[in-house]
Amino acid sequence: MRGAGSERSLEAQVAATLAIQADEILLVAASGGPDSTALASLAASAARAAGGRVELGHVNHGVRTSAEQDEAVTLATGAALGLRVRCAYVRGAPSDEASLREARYAALASLARVAGAARVATAHHAEDQTETVLLALFRGTGPAGLAGMPPVRALGEGLELVRPLLRVEPARLRAYAERAHLPFALDPTNRDPRYRRNAVRAALAALRGDFPHLDEAVARCAELVREELAPTARGRTRAGLQAALRAAGLGRDLTFERLEAATKALESGVRGRVHLRRDVELVIGGSDEPGG
């Protein structure tokens, strides 16, 4: 992350995504790693501004040799940020990834209910989303798998799981935690070749040098698939714009970024012009037809 400007940009991005309400209690899932440590700080900042409160939820499976260290780091993070930390201890669950994940979410749901929180935030980031989509693709998934992790889903009755960092690179999160001098620990299992996700992670790391926008492209793909499966207002606006451009013979060679900028401008309802490509601009609040 480059300096205070980027730091403020990240804080604003997370605050807007979380949209914490006054008097709301948000439980942030904290593992002790740099990603969840950064999210804890970002969410706490957003909550203070909104008049809400953040608590940290840590699940200790007792599986890794570093489990006690991870808990200690999470407690230190809570102390540094002035946040209450709630810990759950899960023992006896199978040690495969799926079982551990299911047990972790169940424990987080229990912690949230005790805390009086209606939402649990996790620090899944852009690279996590890329890995999830590719693993689903390699398993021969359908559209639901290509949609990746949703930014919001039900966690239980009256509970939501939210992922505010799906478009954020982990390097920005680690840099944020380092600049704030917050404690964190690195998970040694992230390099364990026994886990399929780690094999995908290593291959992607090698590819990012040649494809620096890889994660952004995959996140965009997942978002579009989600909108196809469950159309959103923005998706309908984008589809309508695309249909109008095709009807006018102007739909070719438009980048997603320009199309998305035009969609957001249409949503805002503010008069103005959006350049879609060198010879095409959209006039908002004037002519009903895209201009050329």
Side-chain angles (χ1 to χ4, degrees):
M1 186 166 56
R2 299 177 181 175
S6 181
E7 188 173 297
R8 287 194 295 271
S9 173
L10 182 58
E11 289 171 347
Q13 178 183 346
V14 172
T17 303
L18 283 174
I20 296 172
Q21 302 299 305
D23 300 322
E24 177 183 0
I25 300 171
L26 175 72
L27 186 76
V28 172
S31 67
D35 308 325
S36 63
T37 295
L39 176 58
S41 180
L42 290 161
S45 176
R48 283 193 297 271
R53 187 169 90 246
V54 164
E55 294 190 5
L56 304 185
H58 178 77
V59 181
N60 184 333
H61 293 280
V63 174
R64 297 204 307 258
T65 56
S66 61
E68 304 310 317
Q69 172 189 295
D70 295 339
E71 182 178 330
V73 170
T74 301
L75 291 169
T77 298
L81 295 172
L83 304 177
R84 179 170 184 172
V85 181
R86 298 179 183 270
C87 296
Y89 302 92
V90 178
R91 299 293 186 269
S95 60
D96 63 281
E97 290 179 89
S99 297
L100 288 173
R101 182 169 57 249
E102 184 177 343
R104 181 165 58 254
Y105 283 140
L108 287 169
S110 296
L111 291 176
R113 290 190 176 96
V114 172
R119 296 193 297 166
V120 176
T122 66
H124 293 108
H125 50 64
E127 291 186 8
D128 291 328
Q129 182 72 299
T130 299
E131 294 162 10
T132 298
V133 171
L134 289 183
L135 282 167
L137 179 64
F138 296 158
R139 288 194 296 265
T141 187
L146 292 178
M149 293 180 286
V152 181
R153 74 164 177 84
L155 186 59
E157 186 175 352
L159 283 176
E160 280 187 342
L161 180 74
V162 296
R163 300 181 174 106
L165 305 177
L166 287 179
R167 302 300 288 268
V168 179
E169 301 82 6
R172 292 185 70 194
L173 298 173
R174 180 166 177 172
Y176 186 92
E178 289 174 342
R179 284 176 61 86
H181 304 292
L182 293 172
F184 61 81
L186 299 179
D187 183 355
T189 65
N190 283 341
R191 297 182 180 276
D192 190 333
R194 292 177 298 175
Y195 297 105
R196 289 177 297 176
R197 182 175 288 270
N198 290 346
V200 171
R201 182 172 296 147
L204 287 169
L207 284 171
R208 287 189 179 97
D210 293 320
F211 300 94
H213 303 295
L214 183 154
D215 299 299
E216 180 183 344
V218 173
R220 185 166 66 235
C221 172
E223 182 179 334
L224 290 172
V225 172
R226 283 196 301 273
E227 289 180 351
E228 288 290 328
L229 294 173
T232 63
R234 175 167 297 175
R236 289 190 291 269
T237 301
R238 187 192 301 118
L241 175 59
Q242 288 175 306
L245 289 166
R246 284 194 297 269
L250 302 171
R252 298 184 61 185
D253 303 323
L254 297 179
T255 67
F256 177 86
E257 288 76 16
R258 289 290 85 206
L259 186 62
E260 191 71 353
T263 301
K264 291 179 180 178
L266 284 169
E267 285 180 329
S268 73
V270 177
R271 296 173 64 93
R273 296 171 181 265
V274 179
H275 292 279
L276 296 172
R277 68 180 192 214
R278 183 174 299 177
D279 59 336
V280 179
E281 67 177 13
L282 177 69
V283 179
I284 300 173
S287 170
D288 293 332
E289 297 296 327

